[in-house]
Amino acid sequence: MSYVLAKSQNDDIHKAGECGGAVTSILKYLLDEEIVDGVLALSPQNDVYDATPTFITESDDLLSAAGSYHCAPTMIGDLVQKYLFDKKVAITVKPCDMRAVEELIIRHKINRDNIYLIGLNCGGTVSPVSGRKMIDLFYEADPDDVVSEEIDKGKFIIELADGSEEAVKIHDLEEEGYGRRNNCQRCDVKIPRKANIACGNWGAEDGWTFIEINDEKGQELIDGAKKAGILETKNPAQGAIDGREKVEGIMIKMAKKVQDATYPTVSEMDEWSRCISCYACRDVCPICWCFENCELNKPYFKDEQNIPPTPIAFQGVRLSHMSFSCVDCGQCDDVCPMDIPVSLIFDKLQKKYFNRTGYVAGVSDDIKPPLYSPEKTEL
Amino acid sequence: MADDLKIVGLLCNWCCYGGADTAGTARMQYSPNIRIIRVMCSGRINPSMIFKAFQDGADGVFVGGCHIGDCHYDAGNYKWSRRSKIVEDILEEFGIEKERFRHEWISASEGEKFQKTMEEFHNTLTKLGPLEL
């Protein structure tokens, strides 16, 4: 593991990127050298609230995907599994994406040799709807005028078309019920250390990207991009490394506080009683991969007359299948038509599992979660 | 002794099922509430089987396997022992008392232990009463 500061040698990319354009440069290097068939990254459609995962195969199209999109929380892990299994892809991953990819690799649904994971440090994402509302309420700006946004030093910063910037403390936003999504507020994995490299602005100087190189493949990436003349690097000062560590530490501490406050308050049985059996949480879950063969569809569990379903036979079965691997991406909260805090309950169970086994979904090095390993140990 | 409490017992073919057999051939008396389902190994039991039993009206679920180290398939009971912890964690979330779910290692020669366990489990469930989901 080592650290570098990097910035793009390409002026267009340097300008378009959030901090130095290192990520876009590395992606461009991978595409130009034909190391990968394509890049899976978020790309904005109509506005900054509407970024969708896009499979980019031409390096000229990369520029449109540069920048950060906190208001477009999408899960990329399951897309690779479903549509890009046989392709060589570079994927930009926030920590929960990385964890989902890791969990899917364990399940043999993604081939590690086929993918490059370009990690992005993540302090949290904002749902597009509440993001718009929040900008409307707390900023003196029209949500439609926002051309870019970023999160830095505990503030949510928006940039308008005329170049002016506005910042509001995330803490203040969250006190009013806006700000980051609930699952992001309690997420304690902020740096994707299982990705080949983890990039971000924490600890970085202006115009540079701070990169943590996590493995050999990551080192090759950086060396290759440097050789191709698209990336410039230098060693970060000790102060920068400490600064980054401090930011991460504060974020994790805040997350733990939220965890302690929210886990005990959820009353599962009341929440489940609203369930309408739409299966949306299962369908969107990146870890639930056996759609046609899902046990919930088997005649012995299928119970369409009964709404809400018997919790133990619906949510209970799902919990037993994958709660220990829950990566807390919050997609299930987003899709639930009845606003059940699904991810909170699943994440709570994963934490319980962690307390028993020390296994953190998508982060621990175990080849298999303890539940499935052939090892001769008891808990 | 007859009452309406239903116990579903999932017993491993090689040990606990044999234990139940031993109890039977030795004419040991125990409460008749248990419905035994024979499985080849405790390691093949999914948490969802336990949940299905509770959903369909079981008041208690018992799982019996070989003693650690005696598994016919080498490590099946280790797998079950880890899985059982997850079952306990999940049952707790659904308001099902953890005493309603029990597992025990019983060898084919331990008919007496099977009898004793059944009696104990039945007593526990009698105290708890029928399960309402």
Side-chain angles (χ1 to χ4, degrees), chain A residues 268-269 272 295 300-301 311-313 316 319-320 348-349 352 356 370-371 373 375-379, chain B residues 47-48 51-52 55 68 74-75 78-79 81-83 85-86 88-94 96 133:
Chain A
E268 286 87 352
M269 289 314 260
W272 297 140
E295 200 169 19
Y300 51 89
F301 272 125
I312 191 83
L319 279 166
S320 74
K348 184 174 152 190
L349 256 293
K352 257 189 179 179
R356 275 190 195 278
L371 205 59
S373 79
E375 262 169 57
K376 291 187 178 177
T377 44
E378 286 186 87
L379 293 179
Chain B
S48 39
F51 301 157
K52 176 71 180 165
Q55 184 205 8
I68 288 294
D74 192 37
Y78 284 100
K79 288 178 184 159
S81 82
R82 292 194 295 262
R83 233 165 266 167
K85 297 291 188 289
I86 270 268
E88 281 169 17
D89 282 352
I90 293 175
L91 287 180
E92 194 186 318
E93 306 294 323
F94 288 90
I96 297 175
L133 275 179

Side-chain angles (χ1 to χ4, degrees), chain A residues 44-105:
Chain A
Q45 304 297 313
N46 297 321
D47 48 42
V48 291
Y49 315 99
D50 188 23
T52 45
T54 316
F55 190 58
I56 302 169
T57 48
E58 297 295 330
S59 65
D60 295 339
D61 300 338
L62 278 173
L63 266 189
S64 66
S68 63
Y69 303 101
H70 289 97
C71 291
T74 33
M75 169 48 67
I76 274 179
D78 56 337
L79 294 176
V80 184
Q81 183 250 127
K82 278 185 206 151
Y83 306 109
L84 303 168
F85 182 79
D86 48 356
K87 290 212 165 59
K88 284 211 175 272
V89 260
I91 320 159
T92 54
V93 288
K94 54 187 185 305
C96 53
D97 290 322
M98 168 214 75
R99 295 171 72 188
V101 169
E102 280 294 322
E103 285 294 327
L104 288 167
I105 288 174

Side-chain angles (χ1 to χ4, degrees), chain A residues 167-214:
Chain A
V168 176
K169 270 196 175 157
I170 290 180
H171 180 76
D172 298 343
L173 296 170
E174 278 167 11
E175 291 237 303
E176 302 289 327
Y178 293 90
R180 296 169 300 161
R181 293 151 80 221
N182 290 336
N183 59 304
C184 296
Q185 294 185 25
R186 65 168 180 269
C187 170
D188 52 13
V189 182
K190 302 295 185 188
I191 297 179
R193 293 209 165 83
K194 285 247 141 161
N196 303 119
I197 53 175
C199 314
N201 61 357
W202 303 344
E205 300 160 28
D206 254 4
W208 291 80
T209 309
F210 193 113
I211 300 180
E212 180 172 341
I213 301 167
N214 295 319

Side-chain angles (χ1 to χ4, degrees), chain A residues 148-168:
Chain A
S148 84
E149 42 78 14
E150 60 172 314
I151 296 180
D152 192 21
K153 302 203 173 60
K155 286 180 183 155
F156 188 80
I157 306 163
I158 57 169
E159 193 188 327
L160 302 176
D162 59 11
S164 63
E165 280 190 1
E166 258 189 79
V168 176

Side-chain angles (χ1 to χ4, degrees), chain A residues 218-357:
Chain A
Q219 187 66 49
E220 281 166 25
L221 263 183
I222 301 287
D223 294 344
K226 255 163 77 177
K227 225 179 184 177
I230 194 165
L231 202 69
E232 181 189 339
T233 63
K234 64 174 182 183
N235 285 331
Q238 188 58 39
I241 299 172
D242 294 344
R244 178 170 179 268
E245 222 161 75
K246 202 173 144 201
V247 176
E248 193 195 5
I250 294 173
M251 290 240 179
I252 292 175
K253 216 162 146 195
M254 270 161 50
K256 295 260 193 263
K257 219 187 249 171
V258 178
Q259 287 173 8
D260 292 342
T262 48
Y263 289 153
T265 59
V266 59
S267 139
E268 286 87 352
M269 289 314 260
D270 294 339
E271 305 286 0
W272 297 140
S273 71
R274 297 203 300 278
C275 177
I276 55 169
S277 255
C278 70
Y279 296 93
C281 50
R282 175 200 68 182
D283 294 343
V284 81
C285 179
I287 313 295
C288 274
W289 57 269
C290 45
F291 305 103
E292 280 96 41
N293 282 321
C294 178
E295 200 169 19
L296 291 175
N297 287 350
K298 303 277 186 214
Y300 51 89
F301 272 125
K302 192 109 188 162
D303 184 10
E304 273 165 350
Q305 273 80 52
N306 220 349
I307 305 248
T310 317
I312 191 83
F314 186 99
Q315 285 87 1
V317 170
R318 269 202 76 223
L319 279 166
S320 74
H321 284 185
M322 51 65 62
S323 68
F324 48 88
S325 286
C326 175
V327 298
D328 199 19
C329 66
Q331 300 268 99
C332 40
D333 292 2
D334 294 345
V335 296
C336 182
M338 303 308 286
D339 282 340
I340 299 170
V342 189
S343 74
L344 174 60
I345 298 167
F346 276 67
D347 181 44
K348 184 174 152 190
L349 256 293
Q350 152 39 242
K351 286 283 161 0
K352 257 189 179 179
Y353 188 68
F354 164 75
N355 290 337
R356 275 190 195 278
T357 64

